[in-house]
């Protein structure tokens, strides 16, 4: 398929018709369809009855249980993956080879090896089809405003940061068989819950240099952790803490960045508006300057719609989307390093984890007490 440079709607296929497709992806696609930017032409799910009901309900012309068959028959421009992380690599590669762009729900892949395999399936040009990840918190107006000021040096140097995803999940949540398992959920709260706040922190702070992690399994009967913490040093010298938990009854998502001239705070739960941001100037900052910082402009909440609108614009302009390629990989690399540091008991630097490292192919790295029992048994009998 040639690069999509026309004004025609992006012909889009939705793969996976469960809760996230219904609650987030399809509403965003339908909004952009009303604006002439997208057209949902196909739906795919392993459950034939579910995909037919989904297609009938939303007027989607093609319903299938066969992804490859749909790709060959429908030839969509964009494939939206709303499926579990264990199948993201296979499905992304299939879509890319069929000439479609991919927008993949988080977590992106269970490992860096999987992510790199997806990148290898791309042709490489900015205008050629590529895979991108759902990291919608980068795309609200609040993040855009703060990023522009922070990266432009308005606040001076960033010095200290805190990133917190402290949520609560009970035993009933983990009674669902695929949850809390490396192979099916991709990881614990560091991967499956806190990934959005972590991604936003990295987007605002810039490249990270070193992470010291700690993880624990304190409450739930799971393979993964149910809480993790990390100390982080960034290339610019700033230091930060990251806390991810599913054990916290008082639920909150929070980022705080202390700079030379201001403190920036974001407090919300699952999505933010402009009013959820607060900028506190240092005492010697002139009031007109601080007033300008606090003028966030029109309010666009962080959402799948905000990111999809940006992605469609990027595809039509023939440019790379921010969460594709290295822009998506850096967050997965950070989370991988957090796990390795926590399980191996050693600091991990950016770039340390590559082919040949056990954490490159599996986030648990085969660590005793963390690797799934079946994989440990295989090692014992090797």
């Amino acid at each position: 398929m040639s690069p999509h440079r026309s004004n025609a709607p992006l012909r889009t296929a939705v793969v996976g018709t469960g809760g996230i497709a219904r609650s987030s992806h399809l509403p965003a696609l339908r909004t952009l369809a009303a604006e002439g930017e997208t057209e949902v032409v196909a739906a795919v799910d392993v459950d034939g009855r579910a995909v037919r009901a989904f297609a009938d309900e939303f007027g989607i012309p093609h319903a299938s249980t066969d992804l490859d068959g749909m790709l060959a028959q429908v030839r969509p421009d964009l494939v939206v993956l709303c499926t579990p992380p264990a199948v993201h690599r296979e499905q992304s590669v299939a879509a890319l080879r069929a000439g479609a762009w991919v927008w993949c729900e988080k977590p992106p892949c269970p490992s860096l090896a999987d992510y790199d395999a997806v990148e290898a399936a791309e042709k490489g040009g900015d205008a050629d089809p590529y895979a991108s990840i759902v990291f919608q918190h980068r795309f609200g107006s609040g993040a855009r405003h703060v990023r522009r000021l922070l990266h432009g040096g308005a606040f001076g140097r960033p010095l200290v940061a805190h990133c917190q995803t402290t949520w609560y999940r009970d035993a009933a949540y983990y009674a669902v068989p695929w949850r809390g398992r490396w192979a099916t959920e991709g990881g614990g709260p560091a991967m499956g819950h806190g990934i959005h706040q972590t991604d936003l922190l990295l987007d605002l702070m810039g490249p990270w240099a070193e992470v010291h992690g700690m993880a624990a399994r304190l409450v739930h009967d799971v393979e993964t952790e149910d809480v993790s913490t990390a100390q982080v040093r960034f290339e610019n010298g700033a230091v930060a803490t990251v806390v991810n938990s599913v054990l916290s009854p008082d639920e909150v998502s929070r980022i705080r960045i202390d700079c030379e001239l201001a403190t920036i705070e974001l407090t919300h739960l699952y999505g933010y508006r402009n009013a959820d941001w607060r900028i506190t100037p240092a005492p010697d900052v002139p009031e007109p300057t601080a007033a300008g910082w606090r003028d966030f402009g029109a309010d666009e909440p962080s959402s799948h719609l905000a990111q999809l609108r940006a992605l469609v614009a990027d595809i039509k302009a023939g440019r790379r989307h921010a969460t594709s390629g290295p822009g998506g990989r850096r967050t997965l690399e950070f989370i991988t390093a957090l796990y390795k540091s926590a399980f191996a008991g050693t600091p991990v630097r950016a770039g340390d984890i590559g082919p040949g490292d056990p954490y490159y192919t599996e986030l648990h790295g085969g660590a005793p007490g963390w690797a799934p029992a079946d994989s440990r048994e295989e090692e014992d009998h090797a």
Side-chain angles (χ1 to χ4, degrees):
M1 183 179 294
S2 60
H4 193 99
R5 296 185 180 276
S6 74
N7 290 322
L10 286 177
R11 300 174 66 257
T12 304
V14 177
V15 182
T17 60
I20 195 67
R22 287 177 171 271
S23 67
S24 300
H25 288 274
L26 196 64
L29 286 164
R30 287 164 66 87
T31 296
L32 290 189
E35 299 172 7
E37 298 292 341
T38 61
E39 177 187 6
V40 182
V41 295
V44 178
D45 197 287
V46 293
D47 185 330
R49 180 177 298 179
V51 72
R52 286 190 295 273
F54 185 85
D56 290 345
E57 180 179 353
F58 298 109
I60 300 171
H62 186 94
S64 176
T65 58
D66 178 4
L67 175 60
D68 291 333
M70 181 279 294
L71 291 170
Q73 181 178 348
V74 179
R75 306 292 293 175
D77 301 310
L78 173 65
V79 172
V80 177
L81 297 182
C82 308
T83 49
V87 296
H88 285 170
R89 170 179 174 170
E90 175 187 355
Q91 292 176 340
S92 295
V93 169
L96 289 167
R97 288 177 175 168
W101 282 265
V102 175
W103 192 35
C104 179
E105 187 54 65
K106 63 85 186 170
C109 292
S111 71
L112 286 170
D114 290 328
Y115 191 96
D116 290 348
V118 172
E119 271 203 276
E122 300 174 1
K123 291 183 179 179
D126 289 351
D128 294 317
Y130 51 73
S132 55
I133 309 302
V134 175
F135 284 139
Q136 74 270 22
H137 287 338
R138 295 194 209 179
F139 295 89
S141 52
R144 287 199 302 270
H145 177 71
V146 168
R147 183 190 307 114
R148 182 172 63 251
L149 292 171
L150 192 60
H151 292 186
F155 302 132
R157 290 185 301 138
L159 304 171
V160 184
H162 175 69
C163 178
Q164 175 184 353
T165 304
T166 43
W167 294 354
Y168 186 79
R169 298 294 183 266
D170 60 14
Y173 176 86
Y174 283 106
V176 178
W178 59 268
R179 287 186 173 141
R181 303 290 179 263
W182 295 107
T184 48
E185 196 169 25
M191 180 69 154
H193 303 84
I195 190 170
H196 283 307
Q197 294 302 115
T198 299
D199 178 73
L200 180 55
L201 178 76
L202 298 179
D203 186 57
L204 295 174
M205 293 291 290
W208 63 276
E210 185 177 16
V211 59
H212 300 241
M214 185 176 293
R217 189 188 296 122
L218 299 180
V219 173
H220 296 294
D221 181 17
V222 292
E223 291 178 348
T224 65
E225 85 288 3
D226 54 17
V227 63
S228 70
T229 64
Q231 295 175 304
V232 188
R233 189 181 306 277
F234 288 88
E235 285 187 2
N236 59 19
V239 293
T241 60
V242 176
V243 180
N244 300 299
S245 166
V246 288
L247 308 178
S248 308
D250 183 9
E251 295 186 287
V252 68
S253 304
R254 179 179 292 126
I255 287 177
R256 172 180 170 132
I257 302 173
D258 295 316
C259 301
E260 290 177 304
L261 300 177
T263 292
I264 305 107
E265 293 176 276
L266 168 63
T267 304
H268 66 114
L269 188 53
Y270 298 134
Y272 62 78
R273 306 184 72 92
N274 286 350
D276 297 317
W277 294 81
R278 184 172 67 172
I279 298 176
T280 303
D284 56 347
V285 172
E287 179 53 35
T289 299
W293 292 347
R294 295 185 181 122
D295 182 7
F296 281 72
D299 190 4
E300 183 176 22
S302 63
S303 64
H304 285 67
L305 175 60
Q307 182 176 0
L308 182 61
R309 183 172 277 123
L311 173 62
V312 170
D314 287 341
I315 290 172
K316 290 189 172 185
R319 60 177 174 249
R320 271 277 177 182
H321 187 61
T323 71
S324 68
R329 192 184 192 277
R330 69 183 182 198
T331 300
L332 181 58
E333 183 189 5
F334 175 86
I335 292 168
T336 305
L338 190 160
Y339 279 121
K340 179 175 181 177
S341 178
F343 298 162
T346 183
V348 177
R349 296 190 60 82
D352 278 357
I353 302 173
D357 188 310
Y359 289 89
Y360 179 72
T361 52
E362 294 177 303
L363 287 183
H364 56 71
W370 292 103
D374 55 353
S375 66
R376 293 197 300 270
E377 289 170 2
E378 289 173 6
E379 290 177 4
D380 291 342
H381 291 90

